[in-house]
Amino acid sequence: MTDKNTFFQQNLTLNVGGRLLDLAVPVVMGIVNLTPDSFYDGGQSNTLSAALVQIEKMLAEGASIIDVGAYSSRPNAENISTDEELARLLPVLKAAVREFPDAIFSVDTFRAAVAEAAVNDGAHLVNDISGGQLDEEMFSTVGRLRVPYVLMHMKGNPQNMVQQADYDDVFAEVMRYFAEKVSRLRSLGVTDIILDPGFGFAKTASQSFELLTRLQEFEIVGLPILAGLSRKSMICKTIGRTPEFALNGTTAANTIALMNGAKILRVHDVQAAVEAIKIFSRI
């Protein structure tokens, strides 16, 4: 660590349901999409049996967190109702908590009501793509529930975010966003916060790569950083491949993220990410 980063000491543990998750060595968050239309794996895990098989595989491969989501956040995704999101999510989450009682589950939602229902049914973290912007009750709900919160940067919503990638200085704007929202979360009693720059969310490929290059500078906030790069368009456009063939590119990007301070890799391919962390940890 540099002298600057030593001064701003990072918090490298999360309280997840009374257990401490140590992030001194980076960990993997496996993605389980319970949606028919996600950009890469839509429809692959949107039945109860298929989701449980996928969760078991990810845990066996070394995932520390399983991130379960029932609302597609790909560009121009359909806007489903809260009731439909809950109907997709809760049966799988309840079954997964029963089947894998020692696992750590995160709920990927921007809706406070969904977050609360999921935590009541066994989820340990809330992963909010909107940073509280799409539901004004989210921050107070997470504060009341006393669970870790992934604070992601996004402008607009999944239906219009492609048109929102307009910045004078993308890094400065994301940093201001984090500073403002972390302060508000702290005031509401949220103690465990993870920062996610939101690669690809209201950002061009160039803007996303700028954030990846400068990822370590976010450590000044003193919070762990999550990198969600898996098979995204910034990678696909760069290597000229579709998401199905973007694992090598994803591993390269994840390695850069690790070298720049990421503590959580959010991925579709757990084994590859675990192996990248093992190689990174040797140096």
Side-chain angles (χ1 to χ4, degrees), residues 160-198:
N160 64 23
M161 64 182 178
V162 173
Q163 290 77 44
Q164 305 289 322
D166 182 23
Y167 305 87
D168 292 328
D169 182 332
V170 65
F171 177 83
E173 184 165 328
V174 175
M175 181 64 87
R176 285 195 299 270
Y177 173 100
F178 282 154
E180 173 190 337
K181 290 185 178 291
V182 166
S183 176
R184 186 170 166 225
L185 285 162
R186 294 283 196 217
S187 73
L188 292 168
V190 183
T191 56
D192 287 321
I193 305 168
I194 302 106
L195 305 181
D196 179 354

Side-chain angles (χ1 to χ4, degrees), residues 9 17 31 52 59 72 79 97 109-110 150 154 194 210 226:
Q9 186 67 43
I31 302 167
L52 292 177
L59 291 171
S72 177
N79 181 28
V97 170
T109 186
F110 59 80
V150 180
M154 180 178 73
I194 302 106
E210 179 181 347
L226 180 152

Side-chain angles (χ1 to χ4, degrees), residues 66-275:
I66 301 295
D67 192 41
V68 184
Y71 184 108
S72 177
S73 57
R74 67 172 178 81
N76 304 309
E78 178 188 2
N79 181 28
I80 65 169
S81 69
T82 299
D83 286 345
E84 184 170 353
E85 186 179 356
L86 287 168
R88 291 177 180 179
L89 172 70
L90 294 185
V92 172
L93 179 62
K94 290 177 183 178
V97 170
R98 287 195 304 269
E99 188 76 15
F100 311 105
D102 295 327
I104 297 171
F105 290 96
S106 169
V107 57
D108 178 3
T109 186
F110 59 80
R111 289 170 167 149
V114 175
E116 182 155 15
V119 170
N120 288 338
D121 282 338
H124 304 92
L125 295 84
V126 174
N127 180 15
D128 177 8
I129 62 167
S130 81
Q133 297 184 115
L134 296 181
D135 188 336
E136 63 183 14
E137 300 298 320
M138 180 61 89
F139 281 12
S140 59
T141 298
V142 174
R144 177 166 46 80
L145 294 171
R146 292 290 192 268
V147 292
Y149 177 73
V150 180
L151 170 66
M152 197 188 88
H153 176 272
M154 180 178 73
K155 294 200 296 185
N157 57 50
Q159 290 72 44
N160 64 23
M161 64 182 178
V162 173
Q163 290 77 44
Q164 305 289 322
D166 182 23
Y167 305 87
D168 292 328
D169 182 332
V170 65
F171 177 83
E173 184 165 328
V174 175
M175 181 64 87
R176 285 195 299 270
Y177 173 100
F178 282 154
E180 173 190 337
K181 290 185 178 291
V182 166
S183 176
R184 186 170 166 225
L185 285 162
R186 294 283 196 217
S187 73
L188 292 168
V190 183
T191 56
D192 287 321
I193 305 168
I194 302 106
L195 305 181
D196 179 354
F199 297 110
F201 285 81
K203 299 170 189 74
T204 65
S206 294
Q207 291 162 348
S208 291
F209 274 108
E210 179 181 347
L211 293 175
L212 179 59
T213 302
R214 302 183 66 181
L215 196 64
Q216 194 166 28
E217 295 180 49
F218 289 117
E219 289 183 1
I220 196 171
V221 183
L223 298 171
I225 299 165
L226 180 152
L229 295 154
S230 186
R231 298 180 183 265
K232 285 191 171 176
S233 62
M234 61 183 280
I235 295 168
C236 296
K237 290 176 180 177
T238 300
I239 64 176
R241 305 286 274 174
T242 60
E244 291 77 12
F245 301 99
L247 178 55
N248 285 344
T250 295
T251 300
N254 279 336
T255 302
I256 294 168
L258 292 169
M259 294 176 72
N260 285 331
K263 297 300 181 184
I264 303 174
L265 298 180
R266 183 179 183 271
V267 300
H268 300 92
D269 308 278
V270 169
Q271 183 172 322
V274 168
E275 290 173 357

Side-chain angles (χ1 to χ4, degrees), residues 35-82:
T35 58
D37 59 343
S38 292
F39 77 96
Y40 166 61
D41 57 353
Q44 293 183 21
S45 301
N46 65 337
T47 66
L48 176 58
S49 59
L52 292 177
V53 168
Q54 180 71 350
I55 291 168
E56 183 176 29
K57 177 176 182 288
M58 288 181 163
L59 291 171
E61 290 177 344
S64 296
I65 306 168
I66 301 295
D67 192 41
V68 184
Y71 184 108
S72 177
S73 57
R74 67 172 178 81
N76 304 309
E78 178 188 2
N79 181 28
I80 65 169
S81 69
T82 299

